[in-house]
Amino acid sequence: MKVSEFIADRLEELGIRHVFGVGGANIEDMFAAVQRRRPRVCMVLDKHEHAAGTAADASARVTGGLGVVFVTSGGGAMNLVHSMAEARTSGVPLLAIVGEPPTELQGIGAFQDTSGRGGAIDAAATFGTVSVWCKRVERIEQIEQVPRLLSEALDAALGAQPGPAVLLLAKDVQCADLSVERPLPPYVPPDPPQPDLAAVRSAAALLRSGPVLIIAGDEVARANAQPDLASIAHTLDAQVAVAPEARDAFDNYSPRFVGISGAMGGASVERALARSAVCLLAGTRLPLLARQGLEQALSQKALVSLGRKRSFVKPSETLHVEAELRGALRALRLELGAPLPTTSSRHRPASPERPLQSVLDSRTALRVIEAALPDECVVIVDAGNTGATTVHDLRLPRDSRWLLAMGMAGMGYGFGAAIGAAFASGRRCFVIAGDGAFFMNGFDIHTAVEHRLPITYLIFNNSAHGMCLVREQLLLGGESGYNSFRRSHLGAGIGAMFPGIEACDCRTTTELADSLAGALRGSGPSVISIELDRVEIPPFASFRRLSAGRSTVGRGSSDEDH
Ligand SMILES: Cc1ncc(C[n+]2csc(CCOP(=O)(O)OP(=O)(O)O)c2C)c(N)n1
């Protein structure tokens, strides 16, 4: 059996339905092996390796399982680095198979050589730092090691500290014959780390002394542990804030919900923290953007944290229960004697059918979007002003998922991620991104067109790298406007380029509401460009202090050119 067939069999056995990637000579055998197993497992051809990596990442975040990506050597491998770094920092389990030139040509000027020999760059060193595991089968004589290496890679990706595992496989290794027993002994994934029950008892005792503020992180929804968290909040009569990447951890319409913690949050979390005596961090380490503005108050509270890693805040004084989050929350819930809720979450208040006609700014647009979002959808939020304002303002509907890549906070995550999320969930996905993010990584819209995926892209078109323009003016005092650019008609352009896509440019609330309604009636992809005349100052704590009540910035001294 060929190595490529062996790996494809393993993926099928693991229940992988889609492998994302971009082809090339040094990975084509892996592609072919997967395609031979259609429809049980299929290759999805992305348009950029970054998109393939983020599609695998989103697929893993949505399912709580493993995402898989295949890329070729050289530029293909290098294009994958950013998405691996995101997955590594955010602890997302991925398996990346990266092709390399045939072993006999490595180090002697092979095409796209990444072997580290003969002056070639070393892909193992590159991926070593952005993965939790990276190894290469160095010589063709070592192919019998492939089954063990694959198990090692899966163990690392799915282990106590999940993340991307990268297996570097030369073309001749992929094609070589492997002697394996049939049927294959099944792969058994590692057991998730269990909580120490004495630590859980101490945590429960401290929390009972209350009052409690819970700050929940993205591990909650990824572990499918929202009901356990809701039950604990109810039993402790706690208020609940969420980290920016975790709007899906708790019902946004609950009276207990106090909003987003940190730089993109509001004063309600500060007030709730001031009222509390104990703070429970559930599945968040509380990195800077999730804690900014709360540090002083947090230093005076008793802290309990649950999750795979210790919190960044007072790590030595925090009562930490180190475990997979669902197990930890379940153990705490049982210790507190808290029953699971019988209903999932409250219904949203009904919103008026059609908004009053007005010109769009970001926050008005988000109110229209919020009213249109269906329950059980996936919202994927990109970077920049658009991302920050969405994090601050957009309440997530019932039983929906929220994906925000805070690991690298790289622009353009949403375009590839939506492909993975749509395949993995089968639900309608909404990408909320700036025009700069679209220009950077937006062409995976074509993959959504190809597969008729239910994705609506909402592009906030302010003709600028808005966040950078705001920084340029508020923080640097500059007026040159190098961060703004000429206006584009993205809806019209994308509509003309991709036959079959619903695409438009919207200037008013009513146009936006009608376009969203149209997008929801259809079953395929749609693009709505939200035309913004001004670059707004987003609700970021550091900007609020400097903006002196202004809500927008000028476009700079080169305004007349635009
Ligand atoms: C890959 C990457 N490069 C650069 C940045 C730095 N950066 C943060 S926000 C931003 C501008 C975002 O512009 P756009 O997507 O149009 O959103 P807007 O801020 O205008 O809403 C830049 C360049 C980044 N986050 N990611």
Side-chain angles (χ1 to χ4, degrees), residues 235-290:
T235 299
L236 294 172
D237 195 18
Q239 297 200 288
V240 182
V242 294
E245 64 275 32
R247 264 199 183 271
D248 50 1
F250 195 75
D251 177 7
N252 289 197
Y253 291 86
S254 161
R256 298 190 182 284
F257 185 63
V258 289
I260 303 290
S261 69
M264 290 168 259
S268 51
V269 179
E270 286 167 42
R271 286 195 296 271
L273 184 59
R275 281 193 298 272
S276 71
V278 189
C279 183
L280 168 62
L281 306 177
T284 175
R285 302 182 74 192
L286 228 51
L288 185 70
L289 288 192

Side-chain angles (χ1 to χ4, degrees), residues 110-168:
F111 180 63
Q112 297 183 325
D113 195 352
T114 47
S115 65
R117 302 211 292 269
I121 72 129
D122 184 357
T126 307
F127 285 110
T129 158
V130 294
S131 63
V132 291
W133 183 99
C134 178
K135 285 192 183 165
R136 163 188 289 129
V137 180
E138 298 277 354
R139 293 189 310 279
I140 193 75
E141 302 78 53
Q142 296 172 335
I143 64 150
E144 296 304 331
Q145 296 176 3
V146 167
R148 181 180 54 77
L149 287 177
L150 184 62
S151 294
E152 262 185 36
L154 293 170
D155 285 353
L158 298 163
Q161 302 297 339
V166 181
L167 182 56
L168 300 165

Side-chain angles (χ1 to χ4, degrees), residues 206-547:
L206 187 52
L207 289 163
R208 277 200 199 97
S209 69
V212 175
L213 171 68
I214 299 174
I215 305 181
D218 63 337
E219 273 186 58
V220 174
R222 277 159 61 182
N224 205 9
Q226 299 96 322
D228 293 288
L229 184 76
S231 157
I232 290 168
H234 179 75
T235 299
L236 294 172
D237 195 18
Q239 297 200 288
V240 182
V242 294
E245 64 275 32
R247 264 199 183 271
D248 50 1
F250 195 75
D251 177 7
N252 289 197
Y253 291 86
S254 161
R256 298 190 182 284
F257 185 63
V258 289
I260 303 290
S261 69
M264 290 168 259
S268 51
V269 179
E270 286 167 42
R271 286 195 296 271
L273 184 59
R275 281 193 298 272
S276 71
V278 189
C279 183
L280 168 62
L281 306 177
T284 175
R285 302 182 74 192
L286 228 51
L288 185 70
L289 288 192
R291 68 171 190 264
Q292 221 170 19
L294 304 174
E295 282 128 320
Q296 172 64 23
L298 279 168
S299 70
Q300 290 156 12
K301 308 291 170 186
L303 291 187
V304 175
S305 67
L306 309 179
R308 293 179 187 264
K309 287 188 175 158
R310 273 185 178 276
S311 140
F312 290 117
V313 186
K314 296 200 298 184
S316 53
E317 293 161 55
T318 299
L319 200 174
H320 181 58
V321 180
E322 186 171 316
E324 182 275 329
L325 193 70
R326 185 159 188 192
L329 281 172
R330 185 167 180 275
L332 179 61
R333 177 175 68 72
L334 293 175
E335 182 62 32
L336 291 168
L340 277 179
T342 44
T343 53
S344 62
S345 52
R346 281 155 50 100
H347 281 279
R348 286 185 278 173
S351 45
E353 276 293 290
R354 212 159 184 273
L356 293 174
Q357 162 106 1
S358 74
V359 170
L360 288 168
D361 57 38
S362 300
R363 299 182 87 165
T364 316
L366 285 167
R367 278 201 293 279
V368 177
I369 293 167
E370 184 176 286
L373 289 179
D375 288 342
E376 300 180 18
C377 66
V378 182
V379 176
I380 305 163
V381 184
D382 217 282
N385 283 1
T386 301
T389 313
T390 305
V391 166
H392 186 267
D393 277 347
L394 187 78
R395 283 175 302 179
L396 189 68
R398 212 155 70 101
D399 300 330
S400 296
R401 291 299 311 273
W402 173 265
L403 302 186
L404 173 68
M406 287 297 281
M408 291 291 109
M411 290 159 70
Y413 169 87
F415 294 92
I419 304 296
F423 272 118
S425 69
R427 301 178 183 189
R428 179 151 289 271
C429 301
F430 295 84
V431 176
I432 302 183
D435 51 340
F438 166 75
F439 289 131
M440 199 174 271
N441 278 315
F443 276 99
D444 240 57
I445 288 178
H446 187 261
T447 308
V449 174
E450 182 69 32
H451 295 276
R452 301 288 309 149
L453 294 175
I455 303 173
T456 300
Y457 300 89
L458 295 149
I459 303 176
F460 283 55
N461 186 7
N462 59 8
S463 304
H465 279 172
M467 171 76 70
C468 299
L469 189 69
V470 172
R471 290 185 65 86
E472 181 192 335
Q473 296 194 13
L474 287 188
L475 298 173
L476 303 181
E479 286 288 332
S480 75
Y482 68 90
N483 281 299
S484 62
F485 32 77
R486 287 171 195 277
R487 183 151 288 278
S488 311
H489 303 296
L490 300 178
I494 294 166
M497 194 169 15
F498 300 135
I501 198 166
E502 294 289 329
C504 61
D505 301 287
C506 293
R507 298 208 137 267
T508 65
T509 45
T510 42
E511 282 172 13
L512 176 57
D514 292 345
S515 309
L516 277 161
L520 289 172
R521 277 194 300 276
S523 57
S526 43
V527 172
I528 301 175
S529 175
I530 295 164
E531 301 297 297
L532 302 169
D533 287 334
R534 296 175 182 281
V535 172
E536 297 155 38
I537 300 172
F540 242 119
S542 50
F543 294 157
R544 249 180 257 138
R545 282 195 299 278
L546 294 166
S547 59

Side-chain angles (χ1 to χ4, degrees), residues 70-88:
F70 292 173
V71 301
T72 192
S73 57
M78 295 303 111
N79 273 349
L80 188 67
V81 171
H82 174 183
S83 56
M84 292 299 102
E86 170 57 42
R88 161 83 164 70

